[in-house]
């Protein structure tokens, strides 16, 4: 039976006949967003003829049960349907964490066009992904599945998934270059790099892809005679080195591509180059209709919303705040002039960086609430650019975060911490020191591990290491073992997140008949070349690598690959041979050809770390050799 508040919630949505955001509902009912989510779950569980449909971006709306049966709950658009096991797992995790408390598996099958067998394998894979997170579990109830566990553990799981996602090298320029039809993005990048060198100016590595994409999009818009307008109120902007860099860059682009570049484009690009310093040259206020809006407060609200929904705290990232402020200024100007950005790379971001994109959608939803306007999907992609760069900055300096608990005096504390950092400074940092253990405080800090000189019993999903106050050799060994375990868990999650996306059904050959390694490589490369994954020189590069030394491992597996020859997208083509092929000194039955995109070179280490582990596990290796379908093979890969 519904309580009065839940009845009122259903009444509001029924009368509205449209979507209402959780924030608006929370204001009307004088409760928190979390209470709204709980009430929606209760209504869907208990109400008869009516239910509540949810959307991360749009909020909630009432819908009749009959309509739900006929239409199904809001599913992905055709272009959003996950195509690989890895993408399906991320899709389900996202929905379980942020949209639905539970998923109806029967409905999910029809939404994403997948068999029950494949779906069950995906669920097994998710269970393995969450194994290191104590208390987090996937629970099956009839036809529904839910993700249960402490909210702090769920947030940690999401943060780790995000770290694994940006490890793939956020915004691979080579992969994006083909999306710009009117010019060569790599040439644009080279011109920009040349200008930076001439001015002896350094750009943070994580900012660079975003700057190039910003420049590419500006050029695309200028080619169509759409220009950015800027007020002449930025004191001293034209005197800055960033403005001179932007002007030199656009002067050369204009000559090279025969374009007319206006002053506003130069000024806007200069502000993007500046990063956090841009706030000194751009107003906090902009007018929309008859309202003056404070963009600094919109940025603050956006980052608080990310913290509330995803548990990701970017509030201290000044470069992100400045970038979002510039983007919101541009967004409002586009809304004021009814200009819509072209959909250049939206699908690229959605498919390859779904977690980052989801945060962009979250900010878009917040801005729609605050501005009272409808914002185009493309803006979510641009917001994701800033968030991806911020996540990569966060990840590039990320060491394991440790909390120390030691009920002794300051001298002992200092001495123990100094010894720990002398040995493990490259892999961990001490983010909190405390004389006692308090669960709420530990949850707030969310460390990766706890180092303690006194026994502690707790139910948190945080690795806890007992150490001696004098840090003896046994304590050192325990810390080292804990760090290695964290490395192993991180690798496992990163591997599980990415490997399924690299192997596609069309590149899986369950019974390939070839007589020599050259024939096998030729067959696999032919299909990749026809699909545009690799160019005509890729095969010869793979064969040259084989000439130097066969890529076979034991009597089972070969992993041919290329040096200095790259694919348009990272792919693993798999062939299960009808008959063993003599490959070097081994008889090979399974071949995995690895084609890597230039920007995804980290995946080489991940893949070969897996190869090393599989060779050291005869039972698992033999299981890979057994005849199986594509779905079964992907399942065995991530076991």
């Amino acid at each position: 039976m519904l309580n009065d508040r839940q009845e009122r919630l259903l009444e509001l949505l029924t009368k509205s006949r449209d979507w209402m955001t959780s924030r608006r509902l929370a204001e009307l009912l004088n409760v928190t967003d979390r209470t709204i989510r709980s009430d929606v779950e209760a209504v869907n569980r208990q109400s008869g003829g009516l239910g509540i449909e949810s959307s991360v971006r749009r909020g909630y709306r009432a819908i009749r049960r009959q309509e739900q049966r006929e239409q199904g709950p809001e599913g992905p658009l055709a272009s959003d349907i996950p195509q690989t096991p890895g993408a399906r797992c991320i899709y389900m995790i996202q929905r379980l964490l942020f949209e639905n408390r539970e998923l109806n598996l029967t409905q999910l099958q029809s939404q994403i066009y997948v068999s029950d067998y494949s779906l069950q394998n995906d669920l097994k894979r998710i269970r393995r992904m969450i194994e290191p997170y104590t208390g987090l579990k996937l629970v099956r109830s009839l036809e529904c599945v839910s993700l249960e566990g402490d909210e702090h553990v769920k947030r940690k799981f999401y943060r780790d998934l995000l770290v694994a996602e940006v490890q793939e090298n956020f915004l691979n320029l080579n992969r994006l270059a083909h999306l710009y039809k009117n010019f060569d993005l790599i040439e644009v990048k080279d011109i920009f790099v040349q200008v930076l060198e001439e001015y002896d100016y350094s750009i943070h590595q994580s900012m660079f892809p975003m700057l190039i994409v910003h420049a590419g999009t500006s050029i695309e818009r200028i080619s169509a005679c759409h220009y950015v307008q800027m007020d002449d109120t930025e004191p001293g902007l034209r005197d800055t080195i960033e403005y001179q860099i932007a002007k030199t860059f656009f002067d050369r682009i204009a000559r090279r591509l025969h374009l007319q570049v206006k002053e506003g484009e130069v000024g806007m690009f200069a502000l993007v180059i500046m990063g956090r310093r841009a706030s000194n040259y751009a107003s906090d206020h902009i007018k929309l209709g008859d309202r003056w809006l404070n963009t600094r407060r919109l940025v603050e609200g956006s980052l608080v919303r990310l913290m509330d929904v995803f548990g990701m705290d970017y509030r201290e990232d000044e470069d992100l705040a400045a970038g979002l402020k510039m983007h919101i200024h541009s967004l409002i100007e586009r809304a004021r002039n009814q200009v819509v950005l072209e959909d250049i790379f939206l699908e690229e971001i959605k498919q390859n960086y779904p977690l980052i994109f989801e945060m962009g959608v979250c900010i878009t939803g917040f801005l729609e609430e605050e501005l009272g306007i409808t914002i185009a999907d493309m803006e979510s992609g641009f917001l994701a650019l800033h968030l991806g760069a911020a996540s990569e900055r966060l990840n590039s300096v990320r060491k394991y975060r440790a909390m120390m608990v030691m009920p002794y005096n300051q001298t002992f504390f200092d001495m123990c911490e100094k010894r720990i950092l002398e040995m493990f400074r490259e892999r961990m940092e001490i983010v909190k020191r405390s004389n006692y253990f308090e669960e709420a405080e530990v949850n707030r800090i969310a460390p990766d591990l706890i180092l303690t000189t006194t026994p502690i019993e707790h139910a948190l999903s945080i690795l806890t290491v007992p150490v001696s106050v004098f840090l003896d050799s046994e304590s050192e060994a325990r810390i080292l073992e804990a760090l290695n375990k964290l490395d192993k868990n991180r690798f496992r999650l990163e591997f599980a997140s990415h490997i399924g996306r690299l192997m596609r059904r069309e590149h899986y050959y369950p019974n390939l008949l070839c007589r020599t390694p050259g024939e096998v490589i030729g067959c696999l490369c032919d299909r990749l070349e026809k699909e545009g994954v690799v160019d005509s020189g890729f095969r010869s590069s793979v064969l040259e690598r084989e000439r130097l030394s066969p890529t076979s491992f034991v009597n089972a597996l070969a992993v041919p690959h290329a040096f200095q020859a790259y694919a348009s997208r990272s792919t693993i083509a798999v062939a299960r041979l009808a008959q063993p092929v003599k490959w070097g000194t081994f008889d090979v039955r399974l071949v995995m050809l690895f084609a890597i995109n230039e920007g995804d070179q980290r995946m080489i280490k991940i893949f070969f770390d897996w190869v090393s582990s599989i060779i050291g596990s005869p039972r698992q290796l033999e299981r890979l050799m057994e005849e199986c379908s594509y779905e079964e093979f992907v399942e065995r890969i991530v076991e």
Side-chain angles (χ1 to χ4, degrees), residues 205-371:
Q205 184 177 358
S206 68
M207 297 285 290
F208 192 79
M210 185 192 66
L211 284 168
I212 298 302
V213 170
H214 181 101
T217 304
S218 296
I219 294 167
E220 192 90 3
R221 299 293 295 165
I222 292 169
S223 300
C225 298
H226 296 297
Y227 297 95
V228 169
Q229 302 296 324
M230 281 189 67
D231 300 329
D232 295 326
T233 57
E234 292 78 24
L237 177 61
R238 289 175 176 79
D239 297 328
T240 64
I241 186 172
E242 289 84 3
Y243 187 89
Q244 295 305 314
I245 289 170
K247 189 171 189 318
T248 302
F249 168 70
F250 271 117
D251 283 347
R252 293 182 187 177
I253 291 295
R255 289 195 299 271
R256 176 68 183 83
L257 300 178
H258 308 291
L259 298 174
Q260 180 183 1
V261 178
K262 295 189 176 180
E263 204 72 13
E265 300 289 349
V266 177
M268 181 59 69
F269 195 50
L271 292 174
V272 175
I273 295 172
M274 281 183 182
R276 70 188 69 180
R277 288 178 44 241
S279 295
N280 300 327
Y281 296 92
S283 170
D284 285 341
H285 298 87
I286 188 169
K287 195 171 186 181
L288 178 62
D290 58 356
R291 290 185 298 158
W292 280 98
L293 301 167
N294 187 314
T295 50
R296 178 176 55 81
R297 290 184 181 172
L298 288 173
V299 169
E300 291 171 356
S302 298
L303 298 182
V304 168
R305 177 65 62 87
L306 288 183
M307 182 66 186
D308 290 343
V309 175
F310 299 98
M312 297 298 299
D313 192 354
Y314 295 102
R315 291 174 295 179
E316 300 301 318
D317 191 325
E318 295 179 19
D319 286 319
L320 173 61
L324 289 179
K325 179 180 169 182
M326 293 302 102
H327 182 81
I328 291 172
H329 268 276
S330 300
L331 184 154
I332 292 172
E333 183 182 314
R334 285 190 287 274
R336 197 166 54 190
N337 297 318
Q338 297 184 327
V339 173
V340 178
L341 287 172
E342 293 178 27
D343 182 355
I344 299 174
F345 52 83
L346 184 66
E347 289 305 316
E348 171 77 17
I349 294 178
K350 288 170 72 173
Q351 291 176 19
N352 293 286
Y353 311 100
L355 305 178
I356 295 289
F357 180 74
E358 200 65 28
M359 291 196 290
V361 171
C362 181
I363 292 183
T364 299
F366 170 77
L367 293 175
E368 285 190 338
E369 294 172 25
E370 296 295 316
L371 303 179

Side-chain angles (χ1 to χ4, degrees), residues 18-29:
D18 201 354
W19 295 95
M20 293 183 71
T21 64
S22 60
R23 178 176 177 179
R24 178 60 177 155
L25 289 167
E27 290 173 351
L28 291 172
L29 296 173

Side-chain angles (χ1 to χ4, degrees), residues 509-514 575-581 588-590:
Y509 304 86
N511 193 34
L512 187 65
L513 183 60
C514 292
R576 188 179 302 284
L577 303 179
Q579 297 176 354
V581 168
V588 164
R589 289 178 284 159
L590 179 68

Side-chain angles (χ1 to χ4, degrees), residues 393-588:
R393 282 196 296 278
L394 200 65
N395 187 45
S396 65
V397 296
R398 189 175 186 269
K399 301 176 184 178
Y400 291 116
R401 302 170 70 254
M403 176 179 180
M404 284 184 65
V405 179
M406 182 184 293
Y408 298 108
N409 64 34
Q410 187 71 30
T411 302
F412 282 128
F413 222 141
D414 291 344
M415 178 182 67
C416 187
E417 179 182 11
K418 182 179 179 182
R419 289 283 308 279
I420 289 171
L421 292 180
E422 281 176 354
M423 286 179 285
F424 302 106
R425 188 183 303 275
E426 297 302 315
R427 299 180 66 185
M428 62 179 282
E429 58 181 338
I430 308 296
V431 296
K432 175 69 177 179
R433 296 172 21 156
S434 179
N435 298 111
Y436 56 90
F437 178 89
E438 183 184 0
E439 191 168 300
E441 178 66 5
V442 176
N443 271 329
R444 187 188 68 79
I445 297 166
D448 296 302
L449 72 160
I450 299 169
L451 307 177
T452 176
T453 59
T454 187
I456 295 175
E457 291 186 6
H458 62 81
L460 300 180
S461 178
I462 301 174
L463 196 58
T464 301
V465 182
V467 297
S468 163
V469 67
F470 301 107
L471 206 68
D472 55 18
S473 58
E474 185 177 351
S475 298
E476 294 173 16
R478 288 195 192 115
I479 295 174
L480 182 61
E481 182 182 1
L483 292 172
N484 289 339
K485 184 175 181 179
L486 289 171
D487 281 344
K488 185 176 180 180
N489 288 341
R490 181 185 286 181
F491 164 76
R492 182 178 183 178
L493 186 62
E494 197 170 340
F495 179 79
S497 299
H498 294 315
I499 200 70
R501 287 196 290 176
L502 299 183
M503 293 187 295
R504 303 183 71 90
R505 186 185 303 276
E506 60 267 30
H507 301 141
Y508 179 73
Y509 304 86
N511 193 34
L512 187 65
L513 183 60
C514 292
R515 292 172 298 176
T516 67
E519 284 186 21
V520 177
I521 290 170
C523 287
L524 297 182
C525 288
D526 276 348
R527 179 68 178 267
L528 294 178
E529 189 176 333
K530 286 176 183 176
E531 293 183 5
V533 177
V534 300
D535 61 25
S536 58
F538 184 79
R539 181 189 318 194
S540 59
S541 183
V542 174
L543 291 172
E544 174 61 19
R545 166 63 188 85
E546 287 295 329
R547 187 188 65 79
L548 296 173
S549 176
T551 57
S552 52
F553 295 87
V554 300
N555 279 313
L557 175 68
V559 287
H561 53 279
F563 284 146
Q564 304 281 309
Y566 299 108
S568 62
R569 66 174 186 269
S570 295
T571 304
I572 298 176
V574 179
R576 188 179 302 284
L577 303 179
Q579 297 176 354
V581 168
K582 195 72 173 179
W583 205 298
T585 58
F586 299 112
D587 291 324
V588 164

